[in-house]
Amino acid sequence: MPAQAYAGKECVCQLRRGICDQGCVAGMLQTPFYIACLNLAGPPARRCVVVGGGEIGLEKVEGLLACSAQVTLIAPRAVPELERLASEGSIAWERRAYGGPADLEGVFMVIAATDDTDVNIAVYEDAERRAMLVNVVDVPPLCNFILPAIVRTGPVAIAISTAGASPALAKRMKREIAQLFGEPYAQLAVMLNEARGWAKATLPTYQERKEFFEGIVGGDPDPIELLRAGEPERVRELIAAARDAQDARLSRA
């Protein structure tokens, strides 16, 4: 349940105000979140802990596995899908309740997905004392990072955040953005990446490399429209022609 839904009910955050007055989330919409992409794959793979073995815990575990994290689940019980992931060796499962600070030793990130307020607060406070990443699902005051909705197609990933104000709106935006920025953008990203080695070795300044790639992406004909029309070879020809033009310019210099 989102923290905003607790107004007038029992406080579930670290402030322990008895009845929730929403004071802890009042500034969330004004918080300037620093958006970053984390490399969990390593090497070595980052160790991430999920506390809670329900459906939400499953969702968080699957998200971490998709990014090649080393995942440990801490929960006395787990839904069948999590049991399967543990039995096949995809995750480690500590079949017990959260045990305190020792459970976070050597951990990069922890996500709490339980329905126990005391456990959630304990996870948050233990993680904060270690200055590590912590997220308590749907309770923004118990998070030092939030998880945006993600549109992922190949190497292209687009994050959508409403600063916790409305997950439903973020989901709608995710659907619409997925329709707008689909497979052609992922194809173009791969093609442009293939030219990065040449650009770094050939074009001596950042500005020259920037202009080279922007000239392709924003050029005429539009590479995205060519990919939508099923003409990837024409896009490769555009990139090759741009490279040849740069080689000729540099040979004259």
Side-chain angles (χ1 to χ4, degrees):
M1 182 182 294
Q4 292 91 327
Y6 282 100
K9 300 179 182 178
E10 183 181 356
C11 176
V12 299
C13 82
Q14 72 276 28
L15 299 181
R16 297 287 194 177
R17 289 182 172 166
I19 299 300
C20 178
D21 64 1
Q22 293 297 280
C24 58
V25 297
M28 288 296 293
L29 296 182
Q30 286 74 45
T31 300
F33 286 99
Y34 184 79
I35 306 298
C37 297
L38 301 177
N39 176 9
L40 302 182
R46 298 284 190 176
R47 186 173 173 226
C48 300
V49 167
V50 175
V51 181
E55 291 294 338
I56 297 176
L58 172 64
E59 175 189 333
K60 303 311 176 185
V61 165
E62 289 178 334
L64 292 169
L65 289 178
C67 296
S68 301
Q70 178 188 345
V71 180
T72 297
L73 172 69
I74 298 176
R77 295 171 299 281
V79 296
E81 292 89 343
L82 285 170
E83 291 184 348
R84 179 182 57 78
L85 289 171
S87 65
E88 71 186 25
S90 294
I91 65 173
W93 181 15
E94 301 282 344
R95 303 185 185 211
R96 55 176 175 79
Y98 176 70
D103 285 343
L104 304 183
E105 190 68 33
V107 173
F108 178 72
M109 173 195 301
V110 60
I111 299 174
T114 84
D115 56 6
D116 188 316
T117 296
D118 290 333
V119 171
N120 290 341
I121 293 173
V123 171
Y124 170 78
E125 291 179 343
D126 291 344
E128 276 286 280
R129 279 192 287 269
R130 285 161 175 72
M132 59 181 286
L133 294 171
V134 55
N135 177 280
V136 175
V137 176
D138 279 342
V139 187
L142 298 182
C143 303
N144 58 27
F145 77 98
I146 59 175
L147 294 166
I150 301 293
V151 176
R152 196 184 301 274
T153 308
V156 175
I158 303 171
I160 305 109
S161 172
T162 61
S166 177
L169 177 58
K171 288 181 180 179
R172 171 178 172 168
M173 294 171 68
K174 177 179 177 178
R175 290 194 301 269
E176 295 179 0
I177 289 172
Q179 294 171 358
L180 183 61
F181 299 102
E183 186 62 29
Y185 287 85
Q187 287 181 270
L188 184 57
V190 171
M191 292 179 180
L192 293 173
N193 185 63
E194 292 169 354
R196 287 184 67 193
W198 169 88
K200 287 187 175 182
T202 307
L203 303 175
T205 69
Y206 168 81
Q207 187 62 32
E208 287 176 298
R209 295 189 291 272
K210 176 174 177 285
E211 290 174 357
F212 169 76
F213 286 110
E214 287 183 350
I216 296 169
V217 172
D220 186 16
D222 182 349
I224 292 295
E225 292 304 321
L226 292 176
L227 290 170
R228 284 174 174 158
E231 300 183 76
E233 288 307 315
R234 288 194 61 192
V235 177
R236 291 191 175 92
E237 290 169 3
L238 286 176
I239 295 172
R243 287 178 54 172
D244 291 344
Q246 289 295 328
D247 287 333
R249 178 183 66 82
L250 291 172
S251 67
R252 294 192 299 268

